[in-house]
Amino acid sequence: MANIRSKKAVLPLAALSVLALTLSACGGSEGDGGGEEPAANCSAYEEYGTFEGEEVSVYSTITDSEQDLLENSWADFEECTGIEVAYEGSNEFETQVLVRAQAGNPPDVAIFPQPGLLAAQAREGYIKPAPPEVEALVDENWSEDWKSYGTVDGTFYAAPMLASVKGYVWYSPTTFEENGWEVPATWDEMMELSQTIADSGIKPWCAGFESGEATGWPGTDWIEDVVLRQAGPEVYDQWVAHEIPFNDPQITEAWNTVGDILKNEEFVNGGFGDVRSIISTNVDVAGDPVVEGECAMYHQATFQAANWPEGTDISENGDIWAFITPGEEAGSSAITGGGEFVAAYNEGEPITAFLSYMASAEFANNRVEQGGAISANQGLDASLASSDLDRQSIELLQSEETVFRFDASDLMPGAVGANSFWSGIVEWINGTPTEEVVDTIESSWPE
């Protein structure tokens, strides 16, 4: 699930130091000859109005260093509009936001990492439809696909915020060059490369599904990537909406295709052990053997960049780089990904002003410029990204040629997407046959 994954993206210490200097430079103007004049250039914020003394409470899963960056991204908005954003990040967001809503004490605004949870809150009548100003900004800055994830039963509720791109395959360019290996253009070429690497005595893949209560989620990303590439976007949509069962033959085929890699003792689990070691290997360190030369490839999203050992050069000719999991045909442009959505439990002009800012290109540029984040906002200047990989990912998200689909487990009902799908893929790695696993997951789908 996206919220679980986003917690792992910790900005490198050096970047935090830069941020601290930036915050210091943008701080109060006393002593620099500026008197009480605002440090920010407020001309870009005039359209939001002024609300001196007003407060908007915001609740989300984003904590730690990511919280600092998020709050810094609206610091000028606060200064120029007079709105104080009272932010609270929590690792218990998914539970507590429901409790607060039922108790009649919700935050003004919540940032949802799962469209499925957002939809459930909207259908129960807790979430307010988005103001027309916000919907107009989303129509201007986001694709119809992204708008649809914030829309429930035909009513638009929530603007997208940040994003991640799933399905990257991380590798060492040096190791590939030294061994004469080439980045594969198709799934078949990737399988041929895997066999070539295995024949050389190196395990081609490393993997790790351990993630506390969320153990199993990295495996669901594998299945989702293959369903989209093998069966196509229409089948993917039908699968997510339960218009076809979870044990449909096309979905079963995707599991078996992934099994050709993850359940192949020749191919996994470099640096850790046999196939079953995938279950006990923590996702945060599962890719480390790529750097150490004990495995050649690791499947993970853009936020893996924060998990590499400190000092790792992530660039096309550096220590680590990544290619998108290839499709059946060369040049396939289908990708999966995740993101957050900003929705309101309460109404009011200051809340509308905040929601409008969060849907704007100004917010996307302010947040991405600080590093460690990307967005599918069409108004985002990709050159502001902090790495080549982030720039590439933004361009993929903004391209009209890209077929994008949101993380399926985040769209499915919680009983499946955050429960039986996770536990089922663990049982599958542990030896349970594919048909038995997908039948069990299908039986867990809520009526």
Side-chain angles (χ1 to χ4, degrees):
M1 297 178 73
N3 64 312
I4 298 295
R5 295 157 207 181
S6 65
K7 290 170 188 170
K8 304 179 186 314
V10 178
L11 201 69
L13 185 61
L16 284 174
S17 299
V18 171
L19 171 61
L21 291 171
T22 304
L23 286 168
S24 176
C26 295
S29 54
E30 290 184 10
D32 60 6
E36 296 300 324
E37 291 298 318
N41 178 355
C42 290
S43 60
Y45 298 90
E46 291 176 353
E47 61 187 286
Y48 302 110
T50 54
F51 303 91
E52 205 63 44
E54 297 284 353
E55 179 181 295
V56 174
S57 60
V58 179
Y59 190 44
S60 93
T61 61
I62 299 171
T63 59
D64 302 324
S65 59
E66 282 191 276
Q67 175 177 334
D68 296 336
L69 299 174
L70 183 64
E71 292 183 289
N72 190 47
S73 68
W74 58 56
D76 287 350
F77 169 84
E78 289 182 286
E79 183 172 357
C80 295
T81 64
I83 295 172
E84 179 184 350
V85 180
Y87 178 81
E88 180 183 0
S90 171
N91 295 328
E92 300 176 345
F93 170 85
E94 289 84 355
T95 301
Q96 290 303 314
V97 76
L98 306 182
V99 171
R100 293 187 187 188
Q102 290 169 352
N105 185 34
D108 293 324
V109 173
I111 302 173
F112 288 88
Q114 305 114 329
L117 180 58
L118 165 69
Q121 288 283 275
R123 290 192 174 108
E124 291 184 29
Y126 294 122
I127 301 291
K128 305 295 183 186
E133 302 95 314
V134 175
E135 184 166 8
L137 281 164
V138 171
D139 288 338
E140 176 184 348
N141 292 324
W142 301 84
S143 70
E144 291 184 7
D145 284 341
W146 276 94
K147 183 181 179 183
S148 71
Y149 301 129
T151 300
V152 182
D153 300 332
T155 300
F156 178 65
Y157 288 92
M161 193 175 81
L162 301 177
S164 63
V165 173
K166 306 288 184 66
Y168 271 112
V169 176
W170 298 81
Y171 71 100
S172 163
T174 301
T175 302
F176 267 48
E177 183 177 358
E178 289 176 351
N179 289 280
W181 302 333
E182 294 186 0
V183 171
T186 66
W187 183 272
D188 286 344
E189 287 184 11
M190 189 169 74
M191 294 302 291
E192 291 171 7
L193 173 63
S194 298
Q195 189 60 59
T196 298
I197 295 171
D199 291 343
S200 75
I202 299 174
K203 288 290 180 68
W205 294 92
C206 41
F209 290 1
E210 197 283 320
S211 185
E213 294 181 355
T215 293
W217 70 257
T220 67
D221 283 1
W222 268 105
I223 302 297
E224 292 158 5
D225 271 336
V226 173
V227 170
L228 180 60
R229 286 159 175 76
Q230 195 171 66
E234 291 183 2
V235 170
Y236 188 96
D237 293 342
Q238 293 167 355
W239 175 49
V240 168
H242 206 219
E243 293 171 359
I244 59 172
F246 202 102
N247 54 0
D248 183 274
Q250 298 168 100
I251 308 305
T252 302
E253 183 183 2
W255 281 70
N256 289 331
T257 299
V258 174
D260 290 341
I261 293 176
L262 294 184
K263 300 185 77 170
N264 184 337
E265 293 286 2
E266 278 193 283
F267 286 2
V268 293
N269 187 19
F272 297 106
D274 60 12
V275 167
R276 286 181 170 82
S277 71
I278 293 173
I279 300 169
S280 58
T281 300
N282 182 267
V283 62
D284 287 351
V285 300
D288 287 359
V290 175
V291 179
E292 298 157 1
E294 295 179 289
C295 78
M297 295 179 282
Y298 179 59
H299 178 271
Q300 192 51 275
T302 43
F303 47 73
Q304 170 62 22
N307 288 336
W308 295 112
E310 187 174 353
T312 301
D313 177 8
I314 303 171
S315 62
E316 194 164 4
N317 297 309
D319 301 322
I320 291 292
W321 190 235
F323 60 88
I324 288 288
T325 302
E328 293 190 326
E329 303 292 334
S332 171
S333 58
I335 60 172
T336 56
E340 300 94 1
F341 297 83
V342 186
Y345 282 89
N346 296 315
E347 296 174 313
E349 291 186 1
I351 294 173
T352 296
F354 179 74
L355 295 174
S356 298
Y357 173 63
M358 296 300 288
S360 71
E362 284 85 3
F363 165 77
N365 285 319
N366 286 342
R367 176 60 190 89
V368 169
E369 190 172 21
Q370 297 177 70
I374 60 174
S375 171
N377 190 313
Q378 296 291 332
L380 170 61
D381 179 356
S383 69
L384 296 175
S386 58
S387 72
D388 290 342
L389 189 75
D390 282 352
R391 273 186 285 280
Q392 173 181 297
S393 299
I394 291 169
E395 289 167 359
L396 277 173
L397 289 169
Q398 292 179 331
S399 172
E400 293 182 357
E401 303 299 320
T402 298
V403 176
F404 178 86
R405 287 296 183 273
F406 206 89
D407 184 297
S409 62
D410 286 338
L411 295 171
M412 292 174 177
V416 178
N419 197 326
S420 60
F421 198 177
W422 291 353
S423 59
I425 203 161
V426 170
E427 291 302 316
W428 181 68
I429 289 294
N430 206 28
T432 304
T434 302
E435 289 74 13
E436 184 176 334
V437 170
V438 295
D439 286 350
T440 299
I441 298 174
E442 169 59 23
S443 68
S444 72
W445 201 287
E447 296 293 335

